[in-house]
Amino acid sequence: MTRDQLAQASSRPAKKRFDSRKWAPYLFISPFFILFAVFSLFPLLFSIYLSFNQWEAASGIEAMQWVGLDNYKYALSDPWFLRSLGNTVWLALASGVPQHLVAIPLAAFIHHRLKRSRNLVIGIYFLPFITSSVAIAMVFNTLFSREYGQINVLLQWCASLPLVGGLFPSESIDWLGSSLFIKPAVAFVIFWRYLGWNLVLYLSALQVIPKDLYEAATIDGATPRQQFWYITLPQLRPMIYLAVTLTIMGNLQLFEEPFVLVAESSGVSQSVMTTAIFVYKTAFSSGDFGTASAISWLLFLIIASTTWVNNRIFKEGKR
């Protein structure tokens, strides 16, 4: 090699080597993004596209037919969708509102009154939240049984009491077979299951409230009721906002409890058919995946709108 060739070779910029330290972090976190793209992002985008098409999964992708907004128009005019939405709102309010009305004062009582047995009591209340839905359905099917259910046994015993016996029914109630009582029964199961979750949220917020506030209020002569109203509740506002938001998003997507507790062959299953159950039946029973996707996105808009209203209410109340 001549001198000129050596000079030209030395003047060329050196090739950049692969820096493993620079790309190692991206390599380690890549499995998450790959799994997220395959199992979350792609189904999400596909459901949006599917909501504008008419498609039966058994016919293959090539059978997909573009229909525009027809699926949304059909869903909004479908009386069963409107009925399922009404059932969802009813169950969401009947089970969601009592959760917080009971969880907040109960959390304050446990936090201030119970010391040694606090963890045990919290664990008992939290246990239903981590219990299998099938196990819960089996237990409450037994409790709500018309012939041998302990709830009817208790009501009949109360009906035999003097003075107050007339306030209770003397005959057994068909809780899971009557359209009049099926909704309160399912709402009670939802309330019982998620009370412990909200209780844990409020207890975690109570633990960071400065004790000096309560001590100063006690010195000033404030009663426990006044301390709860003017100290505990204002300090719990951020956690109340979070808990209520989670309840709104969860209760408007109710599926497990009414689906498992009430048999589809039951004559009253339509009384507790939520929108999520209606989406499932539309897709897998009727085979109309396009309309099911459209209903899913309508439900998403309802949840987003309700969450926005809840956010505005808490912001207005903070002023």
Side-chain angles (χ1 to χ4, degrees):
M1 183 178 294
T2 63
R3 292 182 179 180
D4 294 338
Q5 291 176 342
L6 290 174
Q8 291 178 359
S10 61
S11 61
R12 294 174 184 173
K15 294 183 179 180
K16 293 183 178 180
R17 295 183 178 180
F18 178 77
D19 191 353
S20 59
R21 294 183 179 181
K22 179 180 179 181
W23 294 100
Y26 300 100
L27 181 62
F28 285 122
I29 65 174
S30 61
F32 165 76
F33 290 103
I34 295 173
L35 294 175
F36 175 79
V38 174
F39 295 103
S40 295
L41 184 60
F42 172 74
L44 183 68
L45 298 177
F46 182 73
S47 68
I48 297 176
Y49 177 74
L50 185 59
S51 66
F52 298 101
N53 290 267
Q54 185 178 3
W55 181 57
E56 293 185 5
S59 302
I61 296 294
E62 61 276 2
M64 190 176 295
Q65 182 180 359
W66 180 268
V67 293
L69 296 176
D70 288 350
N71 289 331
Y72 291 91
K73 295 177 181 178
Y74 174 78
L76 292 174
S77 62
D78 188 359
W80 285 108
F81 167 67
L82 300 178
R83 183 175 181 178
S84 70
L85 187 60
N87 293 336
T88 303
V89 173
W90 195 99
L91 290 173
L93 292 175
S95 63
V97 174
Q99 288 178 27
H100 302 279
L101 294 180
V102 174
I104 294 175
L106 182 60
F109 174 79
I110 294 175
H111 178 71
H112 293 292
R113 299 296 181 181
L114 301 182
K115 300 298 181 182
R116 297 181 179 179
S117 59
R118 179 187 301 175
N119 294 334
L120 176 62
V121 173
I122 295 173
I124 293 174
Y125 276 104
F126 192 73
L127 185 62
F129 180 74
I130 59 176
T131 304
S132 170
S133 301
V134 178
I136 292 175
M138 294 176 62
V139 170
F140 278 94
N141 267 307
T142 304
L143 292 176
F144 285 125
S145 174
R146 182 174 185 176
E147 302 297 333
Y148 308 103
Q150 295 302 311
I151 295 179
N152 280 326
V153 172
L154 178 62
L155 291 176
Q156 291 177 2
W157 177 80
C158 293
S160 63
L161 296 175
L163 299 179
V164 297
L167 300 176
F168 300 92
S170 58
E171 298 181 356
S172 298
I173 298 176
D174 190 7
W175 293 99
L176 300 180
S178 172
S179 58
L180 181 62
F181 297 104
I182 184 64
K183 283 184 180 179
V186 174
F188 175 78
V189 175
I190 299 170
F191 160 78
W192 172 81
R193 185 178 187 186
Y194 293 98
L195 174 64
W197 165 253
N198 291 287
L199 180 65
V200 171
L201 291 179
Y202 291 129
L203 279 170
S204 63
L206 285 169
Q207 293 177 0
V208 299
I209 298 178
K211 296 182 179 179
D212 298 343
L213 297 176
Y214 294 102
E215 295 175 356
T218 303
I219 294 173
D220 292 338
T223 62
R225 182 179 180 181
Q226 291 173 330
Q227 293 180 20
F228 174 78
W229 189 259
Y230 294 104
I231 297 178
T232 304
L233 285 181
Q235 294 293 321
L236 284 179
R237 178 180 291 275
M239 184 55 71
I240 294 175
Y241 166 70
L242 173 62
V244 171
T245 302
L246 293 177
T247 299
I248 290 173
M249 293 189 296
N251 282 12
L252 291 179
Q253 300 178 76
L254 284 175
F255 181 86
E256 291 184 9
E257 290 78 13
F259 184 81
V260 177
L261 191 63
V262 183
E264 187 176 355
S265 59
S266 174
V268 296
S269 60
Q270 306 297 337
S271 300
V272 290
M273 182 181 65
T274 62
T275 306
I277 296 177
F278 183 63
V279 170
Y280 170 82
K281 290 184 177 181
T282 303
F284 296 99
S285 297
S286 303
D288 191 355
F289 283 84
T291 303
S293 298
I295 296 173
S296 300
W297 283 102
L298 288 174
L299 181 61
F300 167 76
L301 293 177
I302 293 172
I303 295 174
S305 301
T306 310
T307 306
W308 179 83
V309 171
N310 177 60
N311 185 28
R312 297 295 300 177
I313 291 173
F314 272 87
K315 282 187 176 181
E316 292 293 335
K318 190 175 180 180
R319 295 177 182 176

mmCIF file of all heavy atoms in Angstrom, residues 84-123:
data_model
loop_
_atom_site.group_PDB
_atom_site.id
_atom_site.type_symbol
_atom_site.label_atom_id
_atom_site.label_comp_id
_atom_site.label_asym_id
_atom_site.label_seq_id
_atom_site.Cartn_x
_atom_site.Cartn_y
_atom_site.Cartn_z
ATOM 1 N N SER A 84 -80.031 -2.410 29.075
ATOM 2 C CA SER A 84 -78.805 -2.839 29.762
ATOM 3 C C SER A 84 -78.080 -1.653 30.369
ATOM 4 O O SER A 84 -77.504 -1.759 31.458
ATOM 5 C CB SER A 84 -77.889 -3.577 28.781
ATOM 6 O OG SER A 84 -77.343 -2.690 27.809
ATOM 7 N N LEU A 85 -78.109 -0.513 29.686
ATOM 8 C CA LEU A 85 -77.480 0.685 30.229
ATOM 9 C C LEU A 85 -78.208 1.155 31.482
ATOM 10 O O LEU A 85 -77.577 1.576 32.467
ATOM 11 C CB LEU A 85 -77.473 1.788 29.163
ATOM 12 C CG LEU A 85 -76.698 3.064 29.504
ATOM 13 C CD1 LEU A 85 -75.233 2.738 29.769
ATOM 14 C CD2 LEU A 85 -76.824 4.070 28.370
ATOM 15 N N GLY A 86 -79.545 1.079 31.470
ATOM 16 C CA GLY A 86 -80.304 1.432 32.663
ATOM 17 C C GLY A 86 -80.003 0.495 33.824
ATOM 18 O O GLY A 86 -79.867 0.939 34.972
ATOM 19 N N ASN A 87 -79.882 -0.807 33.555
ATOM 20 C CA ASN A 87 -79.519 -1.760 34.605
ATOM 21 C C ASN A 87 -78.136 -1.462 35.166
ATOM 22 O O ASN A 87 -77.908 -1.547 36.382
ATOM 23 C CB ASN A 87 -79.543 -3.193 34.046
ATOM 24 C CG ASN A 87 -80.936 -3.651 33.685
ATOM 25 O OD1 ASN A 87 -81.933 -3.146 34.205
ATOM 26 N ND2 ASN A 87 -81.022 -4.606 32.777
ATOM 27 N N THR A 88 -77.215 -1.093 34.284
ATOM 28 C CA THR A 88 -75.855 -0.784 34.726
ATOM 29 C C THR A 88 -75.833 0.419 35.636
ATOM 30 O O THR A 88 -75.177 0.410 36.697
ATOM 31 C CB THR A 88 -74.951 -0.542 33.507
ATOM 32 O OG1 THR A 88 -74.969 -1.684 32.653
ATOM 33 C CG2 THR A 88 -73.523 -0.259 33.932
ATOM 34 N N VAL A 89 -76.534 1.471 35.252
ATOM 35 C CA VAL A 89 -76.569 2.690 36.071
ATOM 36 C C VAL A 89 -77.227 2.392 37.415
ATOM 37 O O VAL A 89 -76.763 2.859 38.477
ATOM 38 C CB VAL A 89 -77.308 3.814 35.322
ATOM 39 C CG1 VAL A 89 -77.492 5.029 36.219
ATOM 40 C CG2 VAL A 89 -76.536 4.203 34.065
ATOM 41 N N TRP A 90 -78.305 1.614 37.404
ATOM 42 C CA TRP A 90 -79.006 1.294 38.654
ATOM 43 C C TRP A 90 -78.086 0.533 39.603
ATOM 44 O O TRP A 90 -77.979 0.873 40.787
ATOM 45 C CB TRP A 90 -80.249 0.462 38.355
ATOM 46 C CG TRP A 90 -81.214 0.379 39.505
ATOM 47 C CD1 TRP A 90 -82.339 1.119 39.688
ATOM 48 C CD2 TRP A 90 -81.125 -0.510 40.635
ATOM 49 N NE1 TRP A 90 -82.966 0.754 40.855
ATOM 50 C CE2 TRP A 90 -82.236 -0.246 41.465
ATOM 51 C CE3 TRP A 90 -80.222 -1.489 41.028
ATOM 52 C CZ2 TRP A 90 -82.475 -0.925 42.656
ATOM 53 C CZ3 TRP A 90 -80.436 -2.166 42.223
ATOM 54 C CH2 TRP A 90 -81.544 -1.887 43.018
ATOM 55 N N LEU A 91 -77.434 -0.504 39.097
ATOM 56 C CA LEU A 91 -76.538 -1.294 39.939
ATOM 57 C C LEU A 91 -75.327 -0.482 40.383
ATOM 58 O O LEU A 91 -74.846 -0.633 41.517
ATOM 59 C CB LEU A 91 -76.081 -2.545 39.179
ATOM 60 C CG LEU A 91 -77.139 -3.615 38.934
ATOM 61 C CD1 LEU A 91 -76.593 -4.705 38.021
ATOM 62 C CD2 LEU A 91 -77.617 -4.221 40.242
ATOM 63 N N ALA A 92 -74.836 0.398 39.496
ATOM 64 C CA ALA A 92 -73.677 1.224 39.847
ATOM 65 C C ALA A 92 -74.001 2.160 41.004
ATOM 66 O O ALA A 92 -73.199 2.324 41.937
ATOM 67 C CB ALA A 92 -73.218 2.019 38.631
ATOM 68 N N LEU A 93 -75.179 2.767 40.983
ATOM 69 C CA LEU A 93 -75.556 3.687 42.053
ATOM 70 C C LEU A 93 -75.924 2.932 43.327
ATOM 71 O O LEU A 93 -75.513 3.313 44.429
ATOM 72 C CB LEU A 93 -76.727 4.556 41.599
ATOM 73 C CG LEU A 93 -76.436 5.558 40.485
ATOM 74 C CD1 LEU A 93 -77.715 6.271 40.053
ATOM 75 C CD2 LEU A 93 -75.391 6.578 40.932
ATOM 76 N N ALA A 94 -76.698 1.856 43.180
ATOM 77 C CA ALA A 94 -77.183 1.124 44.359
ATOM 78 C C ALA A 94 -76.061 0.429 45.107
ATOM 79 O O ALA A 94 -76.149 0.229 46.326
ATOM 80 C CB ALA A 94 -78.237 0.100 43.933
ATOM 81 N N SER A 95 -75.004 0.054 44.412
ATOM 82 C CA SER A 95 -73.878 -0.612 45.071
ATOM 83 C C SER A 95 -72.708 0.327 45.328
ATOM 84 O O SER A 95 -71.940 0.111 46.274
ATOM 85 C CB SER A 95 -73.393 -1.780 44.211
ATOM 86 O OG SER A 95 -72.904 -1.324 42.954
ATOM 87 N N GLY A 96 -72.560 1.369 44.510
ATOM 88 C CA GLY A 96 -71.404 2.252 44.641
ATOM 89 C C GLY A 96 -71.551 3.303 45.718
ATOM 90 O O GLY A 96 -70.619 3.527 46.509
ATOM 91 N N VAL A 97 -72.701 3.957 45.777
ATOM 92 C CA VAL A 97 -72.893 5.013 46.776
ATOM 93 C C VAL A 97 -72.760 4.473 48.206
ATOM 94 O O VAL A 97 -72.048 5.055 49.029
ATOM 95 C CB VAL A 97 -74.248 5.720 46.557
ATOM 96 C CG1 VAL A 97 -74.526 6.710 47.677
ATOM 97 C CG2 VAL A 97 -74.269 6.423 45.207
ATOM 98 N N PRO A 98 -73.428 3.350 48.568
ATOM 99 C CA PRO A 98 -73.257 2.838 49.937
ATOM 100 C C PRO A 98 -71.829 2.433 50.267
ATOM 101 O O PRO A 98 -71.438 2.471 51.444
ATOM 102 C CB PRO A 98 -74.196 1.623 49.972
ATOM 103 C CG PRO A 98 -75.189 1.876 48.908
ATOM 104 C CD PRO A 98 -74.448 2.588 47.823
ATOM 105 N N GLN A 99 -71.055 2.034 49.259
ATOM 106 C CA GLN A 99 -69.667 1.657 49.537
ATOM 107 C C GLN A 99 -68.921 2.784 50.228
ATOM 108 O O GLN A 99 -68.220 2.568 51.234
ATOM 109 C CB GLN A 99 -68.959 1.295 48.233
ATOM 110 C CG GLN A 99 -69.380 -0.019 47.613
ATOM 111 C CD GLN A 99 -68.663 -0.276 46.304
ATOM 112 O OE1 GLN A 99 -67.563 0.205 46.073
ATOM 113 N NE2 GLN A 99 -69.298 -1.035 45.424
ATOM 114 N N HIS A 100 -69.076 3.994 49.739
ATOM 115 C CA HIS A 100 -68.331 5.126 50.292
ATOM 116 C C HIS A 100 -69.005 5.690 51.536
ATOM 117 O O HIS A 100 -68.326 6.145 52.456
ATOM 118 C CB HIS A 100 -68.191 6.202 49.218
ATOM 119 C CG HIS A 100 -67.496 5.714 47.983
ATOM 120 N ND1 HIS A 100 -66.126 5.617 47.878
ATOM 121 C CD2 HIS A 100 -67.992 5.264 46.790
ATOM 122 C CE1 HIS A 100 -65.804 5.149 46.697
ATOM 123 N NE2 HIS A 100 -66.913 4.920 46.016
ATOM 124 N N LEU A 101 -70.332 5.665 51.574
ATOM 125 C CA LEU A 101 -71.033 6.150 52.758
ATOM 126 C C LEU A 101 -70.739 5.282 53.982
ATOM 127 O O LEU A 101 -70.773 5.778 55.119
ATOM 128 C CB LEU A 101 -72.551 6.187 52.502
ATOM 129 C CG LEU A 101 -73.035 7.187 51.450
ATOM 130 C CD1 LEU A 101 -74.542 7.112 51.300
ATOM 131 C CD2 LEU A 101 -72.601 8.602 51.802
ATOM 132 N N VAL A 102 -70.446 4.011 53.756
ATOM 133 C CA VAL A 102 -70.104 3.119 54.862
ATOM 134 C C VAL A 102 -68.598 3.075 55.090
ATOM 135 O O VAL A 102 -68.134 3.052 56.238
ATOM 136 C CB VAL A 102 -70.648 1.698 54.586
ATOM 137 C CG1 VAL A 102 -70.182 0.716 55.657
ATOM 138 C CG2 VAL A 102 -72.171 1.718 54.525
ATOM 139 N N ALA A 103 -67.815 3.070 54.010
ATOM 140 C CA ALA A 103 -66.365 2.893 54.134
ATOM 141 C C ALA A 103 -65.696 4.072 54.834
ATOM 142 O O ALA A 103 -64.769 3.872 55.627
ATOM 143 C CB ALA A 103 -65.748 2.683 52.750
ATOM 144 N N ILE A 104 -66.145 5.300 54.574
ATOM 145 C CA ILE A 104 -65.479 6.469 55.172
ATOM 146 C C ILE A 104 -65.630 6.503 56.688
ATOM 147 O O ILE A 104 -64.624 6.564 57.413
ATOM 148 C CB ILE A 104 -66.004 7.768 54.519
ATOM 149 C CG1 ILE A 104 -65.584 7.822 53.052
ATOM 150 C CG2 ILE A 104 -65.478 8.991 55.263
ATOM 151 C CD1 ILE A 104 -66.153 9.004 52.301
ATOM 152 N N PRO A 105 -66.852 6.470 57.249
ATOM 153 C CA PRO A 105 -66.941 6.469 58.722
ATOM 154 C C PRO A 105 -66.367 5.197 59.341
ATOM 155 O O PRO A 105 -65.810 5.249 60.450
ATOM 156 C CB PRO A 105 -68.447 6.592 58.982
ATOM 157 C CG PRO A 105 -69.104 6.165 57.738
ATOM 158 C CD PRO A 105 -68.186 6.522 56.619
ATOM 159 N N LEU A 106 -66.492 4.057 58.650
ATOM 160 C CA LEU A 106 -65.930 2.822 59.187
ATOM 161 C C LEU A 106 -64.413 2.897 59.242
ATOM 162 O O LEU A 106 -63.794 2.451 60.220
ATOM 163 C CB LEU A 106 -66.377 1.640 58.328
ATOM 164 C CG LEU A 106 -65.917 0.253 58.782
ATOM 165 C CD1 LEU A 106 -66.443 -0.055 60.177
ATOM 166 C CD2 LEU A 106 -66.391 -0.811 57.784
ATOM 167 N N ALA A 107 -63.793 3.469 58.216
ATOM 168 C CA ALA A 107 -62.338 3.636 58.224
ATOM 169 C C ALA A 107 -61.905 4.575 59.343
ATOM 170 O O ALA A 107 -60.888 4.336 60.016
ATOM 171 C CB ALA A 107 -61.869 4.163 56.873
ATOM 172 N N ALA A 108 -62.662 5.656 59.570
ATOM 173 C CA ALA A 108 -62.337 6.587 60.656
ATOM 174 C C ALA A 108 -62.460 5.902 62.003
ATOM 175 O O ALA A 108 -61.621 6.115 62.901
ATOM 176 C CB ALA A 108 -63.255 7.804 60.585
ATOM 177 N N PHE A 109 -63.481 5.070 62.170
ATOM 178 C CA PHE A 109 -63.656 4.353 63.442
ATOM 179 C C PHE A 109 -62.513 3.380 63.681
ATOM 180 O O PHE A 109 -61.953 3.313 64.785
ATOM 181 C CB PHE A 109 -64.999 3.615 63.431
ATOM 182 C CG PHE A 109 -65.203 2.731 64.622
ATOM 183 C CD1 PHE A 109 -65.597 3.278 65.838
ATOM 184 C CD2 PHE A 109 -64.995 1.355 64.534
ATOM 185 C CE1 PHE A 109 -65.787 2.456 66.950
ATOM 186 C CE2 PHE A 109 -65.172 0.537 65.638
ATOM 187 C CZ PHE A 109 -65.573 1.091 66.849
ATOM 188 N N ILE A 110 -62.154 2.602 62.653
ATOM 189 C CA ILE A 110 -61.063 1.636 62.811
ATOM 190 C C ILE A 110 -59.747 2.349 63.090
ATOM 191 O O ILE A 110 -58.941 1.911 63.918
ATOM 192 C CB ILE A 110 -60.957 0.760 61.546
ATOM 193 C CG1 ILE A 110 -62.206 -0.121 61.396
ATOM 194 C CG2 ILE A 110 -59.704 -0.107 61.583
ATOM 195 C CD1 ILE A 110 -62.241 -0.925 60.113
ATOM 196 N N HIS A 111 -59.532 3.469 62.412
ATOM 197 C CA HIS A 111 -58.265 4.191 62.564
ATOM 198 C C HIS A 111 -58.119 4.796 63.960
ATOM 199 O O HIS A 111 -57.016 4.774 64.531
ATOM 200 C CB HIS A 111 -58.175 5.287 61.510
ATOM 201 C CG HIS A 111 -56.938 6.113 61.600
ATOM 202 N ND1 HIS A 111 -55.688 5.637 61.260
ATOM 203 C CD2 HIS A 111 -56.740 7.413 62.013
ATOM 204 C CE1 HIS A 111 -54.782 6.574 61.436
ATOM 205 N NE2 HIS A 111 -55.389 7.655 61.906
ATOM 206 N N HIS A 112 -59.183 5.331 64.504
ATOM 207 C CA HIS A 112 -59.095 6.044 65.783
ATOM 208 C C HIS A 112 -59.379 5.152 66.989
ATOM 209 O O HIS A 112 -58.866 5.432 68.081
ATOM 210 C CB HIS A 112 -60.074 7.223 65.790
ATOM 211 C CG HIS A 112 -59.723 8.296 64.820
ATOM 212 N ND1 HIS A 112 -58.603 9.103 64.946
ATOM 213 C CD2 HIS A 112 -60.339 8.709 63.672
ATOM 214 C CE1 HIS A 112 -58.551 9.968 63.949
ATOM 215 N NE2 HIS A 112 -59.576 9.747 63.157
ATOM 216 N N ARG A 113 -60.186 4.102 66.794
ATOM 217 C CA ARG A 113 -60.612 3.318 67.949
ATOM 218 C C ARG A 113 -59.876 1.990 68.087
ATOM 219 O O ARG A 113 -59.624 1.536 69.200
ATOM 220 C CB ARG A 113 -62.117 3.036 67.847
ATOM 221 C CG ARG A 113 -62.968 4.295 67.825
ATOM 222 C CD ARG A 113 -62.856 5.079 69.111
ATOM 223 N NE ARG A 113 -63.702 6.279 69.078
ATOM 224 C CZ ARG A 113 -63.765 7.155 70.080
ATOM 225 N NH1 ARG A 113 -63.032 6.953 71.161
ATOM 226 N NH2 ARG A 113 -64.533 8.231 69.979
ATOM 227 N N LEU A 114 -59.575 1.357 66.972
ATOM 228 C CA LEU A 114 -58.929 0.049 67.026
ATOM 229 C C LEU A 114 -57.425 0.200 66.866
ATOM 230 O O LEU A 114 -56.958 0.852 65.937
ATOM 231 C CB LEU A 114 -59.478 -0.871 65.924
ATOM 232 C CG LEU A 114 -60.987 -1.127 65.952
ATOM 233 C CD1 LEU A 114 -61.370 -2.088 64.845
ATOM 234 C CD2 LEU A 114 -61.437 -1.659 67.306
ATOM 235 N N LYS A 115 -56.702 -0.403 67.764
ATOM 236 C CA LYS A 115 -55.245 -0.320 67.712
ATOM 237 C C LYS A 115 -54.625 -1.700 67.485
ATOM 238 O O LYS A 115 -53.962 -1.943 66.480
ATOM 239 C CB LYS A 115 -54.718 0.290 69.013
ATOM 240 C CG LYS A 115 -55.242 1.703 69.290
ATOM 241 C CD LYS A 115 -54.825 2.690 68.211
ATOM 242 C CE LYS A 115 -55.335 4.104 68.516
ATOM 243 N NZ LYS A 115 -54.979 5.059 67.454
ATOM 244 N N ARG A 116 -54.848 -2.614 68.423
ATOM 245 C CA ARG A 116 -54.210 -3.922 68.330
ATOM 246 C C ARG A 116 -54.833 -4.798 67.244
ATOM 247 O O ARG A 116 -54.125 -5.533 66.556
ATOM 248 C CB ARG A 116 -54.279 -4.629 69.686
ATOM 249 C CG ARG A 116 -53.517 -3.917 70.797
ATOM 250 C CD ARG A 116 -53.615 -4.699 72.095
ATOM 251 N NE ARG A 116 -52.870 -4.040 73.176
ATOM 252 C CZ ARG A 116 -52.799 -4.503 74.424
ATOM 253 N NH1 ARG A 116 -53.427 -5.625 74.744
ATOM 254 N NH2 ARG A 116 -52.111 -3.839 75.335
ATOM 255 N N SER A 117 -56.141 -4.753 67.135
ATOM 256 C CA SER A 117 -56.843 -5.639 66.193
ATOM 257 C C SER A 117 -57.100 -4.975 64.843
ATOM 258 O O SER A 117 -57.902 -5.480 64.054
ATOM 259 C CB SER A 117 -58.171 -6.090 66.802
ATOM 260 O OG SER A 117 -58.995 -4.975 67.093
ATOM 261 N N ARG A 118 -56.440 -3.859 64.562
ATOM 262 C CA ARG A 118 -56.718 -3.131 63.325
ATOM 263 C C ARG A 118 -56.412 -3.969 62.096
ATOM 264 O O ARG A 118 -57.226 -4.070 61.174
ATOM 265 C CB ARG A 118 -55.906 -1.837 63.285
ATOM 266 C CG ARG A 118 -56.114 -1.023 62.015
ATOM 267 C CD ARG A 118 -55.150 0.148 61.952
ATOM 268 N NE ARG A 118 -55.322 1.036 63.100
ATOM 269 C CZ ARG A 118 -54.551 2.088 63.345
ATOM 270 N NH1 ARG A 118 -53.535 2.359 62.535
ATOM 271 N NH2 ARG A 118 -54.762 2.850 64.391
ATOM 272 N N ASN A 119 -55.236 -4.581 62.053
ATOM 273 C CA ASN A 119 -54.846 -5.358 60.875
ATOM 274 C C ASN A 119 -55.767 -6.550 60.654
ATOM 275 O O ASN A 119 -56.087 -6.901 59.505
ATOM 276 C CB ASN A 119 -53.402 -5.831 61.017
ATOM 277 C CG ASN A 119 -52.408 -4.677 60.994
ATOM 278 O OD1 ASN A 119 -52.686 -3.622 60.416
ATOM 279 N ND2 ASN A 119 -51.267 -4.870 61.630
ATOM 280 N N LEU A 120 -56.208 -7.188 61.740
ATOM 281 C CA LEU A 120 -57.110 -8.322 61.615
ATOM 282 C C LEU A 120 -58.452 -7.889 61.027
ATOM 283 O O LEU A 120 -58.995 -8.546 60.129
ATOM 284 C CB LEU A 120 -57.321 -8.976 62.978
ATOM 285 C CG LEU A 120 -58.326 -10.138 63.020
ATOM 286 C CD1 LEU A 120 -57.852 -11.280 62.121
ATOM 287 C CD2 LEU A 120 -58.529 -10.617 64.456
ATOM 288 N N VAL A 121 -58.977 -6.772 61.519
ATOM 289 C CA VAL A 121 -60.270 -6.279 61.024
ATOM 290 C C VAL A 121 -60.154 -5.867 59.552
ATOM 291 O O VAL A 121 -61.043 -6.169 58.741
ATOM 292 C CB VAL A 121 -60.753 -5.103 61.891
ATOM 293 C CG1 VAL A 121 -62.008 -4.472 61.291
ATOM 294 C CG2 VAL A 121 -61.024 -5.562 63.312
ATOM 295 N N ILE A 122 -59.067 -5.206 59.195
ATOM 296 C CA ILE A 122 -58.871 -4.801 57.798
ATOM 297 C C ILE A 122 -58.791 -6.031 56.894
ATOM 298 O O ILE A 122 -59.370 -6.060 55.799
ATOM 299 C CB ILE A 122 -57.598 -3.944 57.670
ATOM 300 C CG1 ILE A 122 -57.762 -2.632 58.439
ATOM 301 C CG2 ILE A 122 -57.290 -3.660 56.211
ATOM 302 C CD1 ILE A 122 -56.492 -1.812 58.496
ATOM 303 N N GLY A 123 -58.068 -7.064 57.361
ATOM 304 C CA GLY A 123 -57.965 -8.285 56.570
ATOM 305 C C GLY A 123 -59.312 -8.959 56.363
ATOM 306 O O GLY A 123 -59.592 -9.487 55.281
#
